[in-house]
C-alpha cells in the first residue's frame, strides 16, 4: 500500500524540530540539536524504505519527543549547561511544547533570532535557510550562488556570534520589535528574490525558495506581534510575483519578458490571494516599499495586455520607492518604464544617473536596456555595441539566449 | 544477494529534502521488486562497527567516518542468473553518492 508523502515533509519538519528543541535546550546547544534532528531523518529514511508509517508526521513528532530525552542525557554526560530549562521540566512540559501553536511560536522565535542585529546580514539569510528552512549547506550554496565553503564559514560565524552574545531565543518586545520585524521581512524577501531572479546557469526559477519565503511570511501573519501592514504587503507582493512564475518561461525553455508572457498562464487563485492581502495591507497611512512594489506588480497584472499597461502609474510608484530607499535598480527600472511610454528624453535622464557597476551581477540589465534605448531611437550601431557588452556580462543561460534573440532582431 | 557498499549516510551531510527524495527512490525500487514477486528479505545496517581479529581476538571499534566503504545493507532476490540481478540492481538509488552494489549468489546445499 503506497502512501504518498507530503512534498518537503522532512524539510518542513526539520525547521519545526530544530526550533522546538532550541526552545527547550537553548541556542547554546544548537549543534547537538541539529545532529539529533539529522539523525532522526536518517533513521526515518532508512526504516521507511520498506514501509511508510500510516501517519508520517506523527511518527516524526514522536521521534522528536524521544530525542528530547536523548539530548538531556547527552548534555548531562557532557556536563553542559542547560540555561533555559526550568527546574521540574518534565515530559508534560515537553508534550505542551509540541502543540501546533507552540511549534509555530518556536519557529517565529527562530526567525527573529536569525535576524538579530548582532548578526551580519549575510549570515542572517544563511542561518535562516539552514535552521528554519532545513536546507543543507550545499543547497544554500547553490541557491545563493556562493561557494559551499563560504556558506559554512557564515554559518560558523553566525553560531559563534549567537554563543558569544548569548542571544535570547525570543521575539523582542517594545521598541526593538518593529526594527526586528523589518529585518525579518527583509530576509524573507531576499529568500524570495533569490528564487525569483535566480542567476543559476540553467534553472531560472527556483520555486523552492519562493515557496519557503511565502511559508515564512504566512507564519508572521498568524502571530499578533508581526501581523502588520508591511507583512501583508510583502505577502501580497510575493503572491503577485508567484502568479507569474509559470509564464516566465515558454515551452522551449526560453525566457519571456512581460510583453511576451501568456497572460492566461498567470495563476488566478494566487492573484486573488494577493488582492485579499493587499486589502489588509492598505489599512494604514504609512506605505512601505513592499506596498509600492506590490502595487506595481498589481498594475502589470491589471492590464489586459502589455500595450495597455498604465506606465505613468507605475513610474509614480517607482518614484515613491526611490524616495524611501534610493537605489540604482530603481533608476534603471524608471528608465525602462520611460522607454515603454516612449518618453526617451526622460529615459535618458535616468540612464545618466546610473553607474552600471552598482548593479554588480545584474549590470547586463543596464546594457540591455540601453541597447533598447538606442534601438528605439534608431541608432543601430550603438544598440549593437551595448547588446554585446550585455552579453559579456550575463551569466544565466536563459538571460543570455534572451539577449541573443534581441541581437538577432536588431540585425534583421 | 545484492550487498550495498558505500559511505555511511550519516557522513554525507544530506539535507532532509535529499533524504526524503532518496527514500522515495528506495521505496519505489522495493515496490517494483515486490510487484515482480522476487524480493525475499533485506536489512539496513547501522553505522556502528566493531571488528574482532587475530589470535588475541582483539576488538576494535571503527568510526564510520574513517571508511569510505562500509556495508550498508542487503536484499536477497530470486533471479535466473547474475545478469538478471544486474538488471534489477540498475535501480539502486545511490550510485550518485559513490556507493555500489555487489552481487553474490547464496549457496544452496544439497540435502
Amino acid at each position: 500500500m503506497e502512501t504518498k508523502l507530503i512534498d518537503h515533509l522532512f524539510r518542513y519538519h526539520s525547521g519545526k524540530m530544530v526550533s522546538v528543541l532550541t526552545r527547550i535546550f537553548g541556542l547554546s546547544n544548537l549543534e547537538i540539536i541539529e545532529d539529533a534532528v539529522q539523525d532522526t531523518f536518517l533513521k526515518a529514511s532508512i526504516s521507511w524504505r520498506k514501509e511508510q508509517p500510516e501517519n508520517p508526521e506523527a511518527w516524526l513528532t514522536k521521534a522528536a519527543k524521544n530525542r528530547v530525552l536523548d539530548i538531556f542525557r547527552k548534555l548531562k554526560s557532557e556536563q553542559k549547561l542547560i540555561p533555559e530549562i526550568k527546574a521540574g521540566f518534565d515530559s508534560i512540559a515537553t508534550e505542551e511544547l509540541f502543540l501546533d501553536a507552540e511549534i509555530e511560536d518556536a519557529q517565529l522565535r527562530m526567525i527573529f533570532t536569525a535576524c538579530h542585529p548582532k548578526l551580519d546580514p549575510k549570515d542572517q539569510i544563511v542561518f535562516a535557510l539552514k535552521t528554519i528552512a532545513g536546507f543543507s549547506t550545499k543547497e544554500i550554496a547553490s541557491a545563493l550562488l556562493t561557494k559551499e565553503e563560504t556558506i559554512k564559514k557564515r554559518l560558523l560565524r553566525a553560531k559563534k556570534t549567537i554563543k558569544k552574545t548569548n542571544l535570547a531565543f525570543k521575539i523582542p518586545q517594545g521598541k526593538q520589535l518593529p526594527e526586528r520585524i523589518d529585518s525579518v521581512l527583509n530576509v524573507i524577501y531576499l529568500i524570495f528574490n533569490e528564487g525569483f531572479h535566480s542567476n543559476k546557469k540553467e534553472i531560472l526559477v527556483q520555486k523552492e525558495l519562493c515557496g519557503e519565503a511565502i511559508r515564512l511570511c504566512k507564519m508572521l501573519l498568524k502571530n499578533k506581534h508581526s501581523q502588520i501592514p508591511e507583512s501583508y504587503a510583502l505577502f501580497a507582493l510575493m503572491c503577485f510575483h508567484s502568479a507569474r512564475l509559470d509564464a516566465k518561461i515558454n515551452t522551449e525553455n526560453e525566457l519571456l519578458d512581460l510583453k511576451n508572457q501568456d497572460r492566461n498562464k498567470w495563476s488566478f487563485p494566487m492573484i486573488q490571494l494577493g488582492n485579499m492581502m493587499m486589502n489588509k495591507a492598505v489599512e494604514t497611512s504609512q506605505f512601505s516599499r513592499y506596498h509600492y512594489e506590490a502595487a506595481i506588480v498589481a498594475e502589470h497584472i491589471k492590464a489586459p495586455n502589455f500595450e495597455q499597461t498604465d506606465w505613468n502609474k507605475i513610474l509614480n510608484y517607482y518614484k515613491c520607492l526611490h524616495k524611501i530607499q534610493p537605489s540604482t535598480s530603481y533608476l534603471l527600472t524608471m528608465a525602462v518604464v520611460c522607454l515603454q511610454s516612449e518618453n526617451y528624453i526622460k529615459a535618458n535622464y535616468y540612464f545618466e544617473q546610473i553607474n552600471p557597476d552598482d548593479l554588480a551581477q545584474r549590470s547586463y540589465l543596464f546594457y540591455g536596456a540601453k541597447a533598447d534605448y538606442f534601438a528605439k531611437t534608431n541608432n543601430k550601431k550603438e544598440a549593437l555595441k551595448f547588446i554585446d557588452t550585455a552579453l559579456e556580462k550575463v551569466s544565466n543561460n536563459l538571460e543570455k539566449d534572451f539577449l541573443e534573440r534581441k541581437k538577432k532582431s536588431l540585425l534583421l | 544477494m545484492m550487498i550495498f557498499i558505500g559511505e555511511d549516510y550519516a557522513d554525507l551531510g544530506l539535507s532532509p529534502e535529499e533524504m526524503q527524495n532518496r527514500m522515495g527512490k528506495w521505496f519505489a525500487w522495493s515496490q517494483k521488486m515486490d510487484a515482480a514477486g522476487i524480493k525475499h528479505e533485506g536489512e539496513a545496517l547501522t553505522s556502528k562497527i566493531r571488528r574482532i581479529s587475530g589470535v588475541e581476538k582483539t576488538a576494535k571499534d571503527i568510526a564510520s567516518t574513517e571508511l569510505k566503504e562500509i556495508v550498508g545493507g542487503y536484499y536477497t532476490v530470486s533471479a535466473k542468473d547474475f545478469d538478471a540481478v544486474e538488471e534489477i540492481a540498475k535501480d539502486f538509488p545511490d550510485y550518485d553518492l559513490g556507493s555500489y552494489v555487489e552481487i553474490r549468489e547464496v549457496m544452496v546445499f544439497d540435502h
Side-chain angles (χ1 to χ4, degrees):
Chain A
M1 180 60 223
E2 182 166 8
T3 40
K4 175 82 182 82
L5 267 193
I6 305 165
D7 285 344
H8 315 309
L9 171 72
F10 280 22
R11 174 185 289 174
Y12 293 157
H13 218 87
S14 160
K16 284 183 189 176
M17 270 170 78
V18 170
S19 304
V20 174
L21 295 176
T22 302
R23 197 172 161 188
I24 299 173
F25 297 104
L27 284 160
S28 58
N29 293 309
L30 199 54
E31 303 271 324
I32 294 174
I33 291 164
E34 285 182 340
D35 285 349
V37 171
Q38 180 78 350
D39 198 54
T40 303
F41 289 118
L42 262 174
K43 284 212 169 77
S45 75
I46 291 172
S47 69
W48 296 6
R49 275 178 195 175
K50 284 188 178 174
E51 196 184 357
Q52 292 175 6
E54 281 290 305
N55 185 341
E57 282 190 271
W59 192 103
L60 289 172
T61 304
K62 189 160 175 271
K65 286 177 192 168
N66 292 340
R67 288 276 164 236
V68 175
L69 294 172
D70 292 347
I71 297 174
F72 258 127
R73 276 194 290 270
K74 194 173 162 70
L75 291 175
K76 240 190 180 137
S77 71
E78 293 178 11
Q79 303 198 318
K80 285 219 166 120
L81 286 177
I82 311 175
E84 337 242 317
I85 300 213
K86 319 275 177 292
F89 187 88
D90 54 19
S91 54
I92 296 173
T94 311
E95 276 306 321
E96 279 186 0
L97 287 176
F98 278 96
L99 297 171
D100 283 348
E102 294 296 333
I103 290 177
E104 291 213 334
D105 178 72
Q107 285 187 282
L108 271 182
R109 287 173 190 231
M110 195 55 108
I111 299 180
F112 279 93
T113 303
C115 299
H116 196 284
K118 283 264 195 298
L119 296 183
D120 184 299
K122 278 183 180 150
D123 301 350
Q124 290 179 353
I125 190 168
V126 173
F127 184 78
L129 284 172
K130 176 92 173 77
T131 51
I132 308 156
F135 282 52
S136 68
T137 47
K138 198 170 81 197
E139 285 167 341
I140 299 171
S142 81
L144 305 182
L145 292 168
T146 316
K147 289 196 185 74
E148 197 177 345
E149 275 315 300
T150 313
I151 299 292
K152 280 182 181 159
K153 274 193 199 122
R154 285 181 190 168
L155 275 174
L156 273 175
R157 198 167 55 186
K159 283 177 184 167
K160 259 201 193 118
T161 310
I162 288 169
K163 268 202 173 115
K164 209 171 59 201
T165 45
N166 205 355
L167 290 193
F169 188 61
K170 61 173 205 259
I171 300 169
Q173 301 295 325
K175 263 214 317 264
Q176 283 183 342
L177 183 66
E179 275 172 37
R180 190 77 62 85
I181 290 179
D182 222 29
S183 351
V184 169
L185 291 172
N186 190 38
V187 163
I188 291 176
Y189 193 34
L190 280 175
I191 294 174
F192 184 86
N193 275 333
E194 285 299 341
F196 196 72
H197 300 291
S198 160
N199 270 332
K200 242 181 156 167
K201 279 213 171 344
E202 295 302 334
I203 307 161
L204 185 87
V205 178
Q206 292 171 281
K207 287 186 185 175
E208 301 280 295
L209 283 176
C210 296
E212 195 52 43
I214 288 176
R215 192 179 72 90
L216 294 176
C217 196
K218 208 186 265 177
M219 259 195 299
L220 290 184
L221 295 179
K222 279 186 174 173
N223 181 288
K224 64 176 190 299
H225 296 295
S226 45
Q227 248 171 10
I228 56 171
E230 285 90 335
S231 309
Y232 283 111
L234 175 59
F235 198 90
L237 168 61
M238 294 194 291
C239 287
F240 291 148
H241 270 317
S242 305
R244 300 181 5 236
L245 273 181
D246 287 333
K248 276 180 78 168
I249 297 175
N250 69 7
T251 44
E252 277 78 58
N253 210 22
E254 290 177 329
L255 187 63
L256 299 172
D257 56 3
L258 208 54
K259 193 173 187 167
N260 297 308
Q261 282 178 17
D262 175 357
R263 292 179 180 234
N264 295 323
K265 273 196 183 164
W266 292 354
S267 158
F268 190 65
M270 261 324 219
I271 296 172
Q272 273 185 308
L273 184 60
N275 284 336
M276 254 166 55
M277 293 292 160
M278 204 57 193
N279 286 338
K280 283 193 177 334
V282 292
E283 290 170 8
T284 171
S285 55
Q286 276 239 314
F287 290 159
S288 65
R289 55 182 282 221
Y290 307 116
H291 284 85
Y292 292 119
E293 287 194 34
I296 290 164
V297 192
E299 213 43 64
H300 284 300
I301 286 176
K302 260 186 235 161
N305 56 43
F306 186 78
E307 289 67 32
Q308 291 181 53
T309 311
D310 189 337
W311 296 111
N312 278 336
K313 254 190 182 165
I314 290 178
L315 186 63
N316 277 331
Y317 289 138
Y318 273 111
K319 280 183 187 160
C320 299
L321 274 172
H322 195 59
K323 213 179 274 170
I324 299 178
Q325 203 178 5
S327 102
T328 311
S329 43
Y330 290 148
L331 288 170
L332 176 61
T333 313
M334 290 195 273
V336 172
V337 170
C338 293
L339 287 184
Q340 294 300 352
S341 43
E342 294 174 6
N343 189 341
Y344 302 125
I345 295 163
K346 204 159 185 186
N348 202 33
Y349 159 82
Y350 288 122
F351 277 130
E352 301 270 290
Q353 298 176 56
I354 296 171
N355 170 6
D357 294 343
D358 292 345
L359 294 161
Q361 277 184 338
R362 297 190 181 138
S363 67
Y364 68 90
L365 293 170
F366 167 82
Y367 296 103
K370 199 93 196 213
D372 276 347
Y373 166 78
F374 286 117
K376 281 177 188 271
T377 48
N378 299 324
N379 187 339
K380 209 172 244 194
K381 203 173 126 216
E382 283 296 305
L384 283 168
K385 207 171 90 186
F386 274 91
I387 275 274
D388 285 333
T389 315
L391 280 163
E392 272 165 43
K393 305 262 178 197
V394 72
S395 69
N396 175 317
N397 283 351
L398 289 172
E399 298 272 5
K400 199 179 217 126
D401 296 344
F402 179 69
L403 288 165
E404 292 280 8
R405 275 179 289 158
K406 221 181 231 184
K407 187 176 172 175
K408 248 189 216 142
S409 67
L410 276 176
L411 292 168
L412 290 176
Chain B
M1 179 182 287
M2 293 183 284
I3 303 165
F4 311 127
I5 299 165
E7 200 169 349
D8 186 59
Y9 258 41
D11 303 329
L12 288 162
L14 300 172
S15 73
E17 188 76 1
E18 289 164 324
M19 286 193 240
Q20 186 176 340
N21 291 342
R22 229 158 253 291
M23 181 183 76
K25 286 180 190 155
W26 275 91
F27 197 57
W29 188 32
S30 121
Q31 281 201 316
K32 191 172 166 184
M33 290 188 278
D34 283 338
I38 54 175
K39 195 171 111 246
H40 297 293
E41 54 168 66
E43 294 292 352
L45 309 176
T46 69
S47 56
K48 193 173 167 160
I49 303 169
R50 179 171 296 179
R51 278 185 190 165
I52 303 164
S53 57
V55 283
E56 300 290 332
K57 298 168 191 150
T58 315
K60 183 170 181 263
D61 285 334
I62 304 169
S64 62
T65 40
E66 292 172 42
L67 303 169
K68 285 279 174 248
E69 299 187 348
I70 65 172
V71 176
Y74 70 90
Y75 274 135
T76 47
V77 291
S78 308
K80 195 161 77 357
D81 52 20
F82 271 81
D83 293 347
V85 186
E86 185 187 330
E87 203 49 45
I88 296 163
K90 280 183 178 161
D91 288 329
F92 169 71
D94 293 344
Y95 291 118
D96 59 325
L97 298 175
S99 304
Y100 60 90
V101 180
E102 186 170 296
I103 302 172
R104 305 287 298 269
E105 190 173 0
V106 179
M107 202 178 282
V108 180
F109 296 100
D110 297 331
H111 289 291

